[in-house]
Amino acid sequence: MISKDLHIYNSLSNSKEKFKSIEKGSIGMYVCGPTVYSDVHLGNCRTFISFDVIYRYFIHLGYKVRYVRNITDVGHLEEGGEDRISKKAKLEKLEPMEVAQKYTNDFKNTLTNFNALDPSIEPIASGHIIEQISIIQDLIDKNLAYLSNGSVYFDIEEYDKLNDYGILSGRDLENLKSNSRTLDNQEDKKNEFDFALWKKADNNHLMKWKSPWSEGFPGWHLECTAMSKKYLGDHFDIHGGGMDLKFPHHDCEIAQSKAHTGKDPAKYWIHANMLTLNNKKMSKSTGNNILPVELITGKNNIFSKPFDSNVIRFFFLQAHYRNVLDISDSSLIASEKGYNRLLEIIKRVKEGEVSNEKNDILFNTIKEWENKCYACLNDDFNSPMLIAELFNSTKFINDSDIKISNRERDYFLNLMNIFLNKILGINFDDSTTSNNDSILEVLKEVRDEARLNKNYDLSDKIRDKLANIGVNLNDKD
Ligand code: AMP
Ligand code: ZN
């Protein structure tokens, strides 16, 4: 029996915890999406691919997942207090919404090219102004936010009397007092570390909405509180984002949500680590970045050759999502070799000779290997360990002296398809499996119908036969 006991590193407790969804069989997951004012770079892509694997694994385990990933099109300010999208709109002589649309399209196309699944809901910050205004009003009523010159700020000192501020990043109030440095205009705040919930817009500001306090726009942190609450409720399973969002963004989100609903917004917080270039964080603002298209087409001054998007995805997944990963020509070339080697293993098994005699020893070895592969995924989605296990299969599968029958061959190829294609999201040319997928869907439907008609003999038979060829159905609900 394969263990599906998953352990996840929770940034809230700074430890690995056994995963248990709040509601049996279903998961609500919120991941902070991009700020759509320029093309996404490879660092952004790494984070979203990390969460794509997490999403895919939950689906594979049989959970019904509602995956919400927002689009930030308002409120994310630069140093100096200017809205990033408004600034770009002025520069490119476009409507702010044109800027947002252009880069939202780029973001989606890029992720599709990396074979990332679409989230269930992709809400946009500017489409949720009413929800944000209503949370602000509630925080003012609770005396945890204050109005100043038409802007509204979250009162961290007041909040800290009720709940500790900074539980994710470990920055307490004293620490904030000695190190505060905020992005927006500070004159009208009680304390410089307080953050904006609503900012009054000046006359030149392009994106502004009416509110009880001024014509203005919401602060960046607030949108995620409003949209996660709207689509996943006051308390949901998973909140994720890049490591650089822990502070201040996620600590502010927790504070706002707790102040508003009295509940911790998420049970598990997952943070994906950074992609670096020349050992420095890849970043839009510093220019130390490379765009996916530049690497895929080879039109750049850094890398010696173009790389396929599958190879880039494979390269990302050869590092654990919580570790920093440096991208370089040599490491990409090494990944490309590894990726081709895996494809070669699959090809040799597919095209190799098959014997009529079943090989029970080999069959059991494959099943033991399957267990090891799941153990990697169950250990905080350990993709590099899983990939190492996939390579390990050569120890038993590619030996020409070993007799292999259709049963072992199909079982093995199906597992490769599950791990490499379905869970890691590496697209490899597999004409047989796509056909198998449709057949599998038909079988699942027949089985569901059998269960509905209480024909458990038939439904169990289908389940067991599928299990024998490596397809495990999970009746989570
Ligand atoms: P942004 O559009 O800047 O809000 O970033 C979108 C997402 O990409 C966030 O989750 C960031 O944490 C993440 N991100 C930004 N830079 C990097 C990087 N160098 N490596 C990995 N993830 C990153
Ligand atoms: Zn967010």
Side-chain angles (χ1 to χ4, degrees), residues 31-37 40-48 51 72 76 84 107 220 240-245 250 272-276 280-284 288:
V31 172
C32 293
T35 307
V36 282
Y37 71 104
V40 279
H41 58 64
L42 278 167
N44 305 127
C45 297
R46 182 190 179 202
T47 285
F48 296 118
F51 285 102
T72 297
H76 198 168
R84 291 169 198 236
F107 169 66
W220 170 41
M243 204 70 92
D244 57 341
L245 298 186
H250 289 162
N273 218 327
M274 297 294 106
L275 184 71
T276 58
K280 286 194 209 86
K281 184 190 163 197
M282 208 177 263
S283 138
K284 279 175 203 173
N288 184 48

Side-chain angles (χ1 to χ4, degrees), residues 245-257:
L245 298 186
K246 257 189 185 179
F247 183 85
H249 186 53
H250 289 162
D251 266 329
C252 293
E253 265 193 72
I254 292 180
Q256 288 162 169
S257 297

Side-chain angles (χ1 to χ4, degrees), residues 211-234:
S211 80
W213 317 290
S214 63
E215 239 187 33
F217 56 94
W220 170 41
H221 312 309
L222 187 60
E223 64 174 89
C224 291
T225 294
M227 294 188 277
S228 61
K229 176 184 150 75
K230 176 157 181 172
Y231 299 109
L232 299 172
D234 293 350

Side-chain angles (χ1 to χ4, degrees), residues 22-115:
I22 297 167
E23 227 178 85
K24 195 168 179 274
S26 65
I27 291 176
M29 173 159 104
Y30 186 93
V31 172
C32 293
T35 307
V36 282
Y37 71 104
S38 66
D39 295 314
V40 279
H41 58 64
L42 278 167
N44 305 127
C45 297
R46 182 190 179 202
T47 285
F48 296 118
I49 288 170
S50 297
F51 285 102
D52 184 55
V53 171
I54 292 174
Y55 179 43
R56 283 167 175 273
Y57 191 47
F58 282 135
I59 293 173
H60 175 72
L61 291 181
Y63 288 101
K64 184 165 182 269
V65 191
R66 181 179 290 173
Y67 174 19
V68 182
R69 189 183 63 205
N70 68 301
I71 297 283
T72 297
D73 62 348
V74 64
H76 198 168
L77 305 184
E78 284 193 334
E79 301 227 15
E82 197 168 357
D83 183 288
R84 291 169 198 236
I85 289 156
S86 289
K87 186 177 170 188
K88 190 76 174 214
K90 282 179 201 158
L91 262 174
E92 294 194 359
K93 295 200 169 44
L94 295 172
E95 273 292 315
M97 282 301 138
E98 268 180 296
V99 173
Q101 190 65 55
K102 177 175 166 190
Y103 294 110
T104 301
N105 293 348
D106 163 74
F107 169 66
K108 289 188 183 178
N109 292 338
T110 304
L111 285 194
T112 302
N113 197 24
F114 278 121
N115 202 25

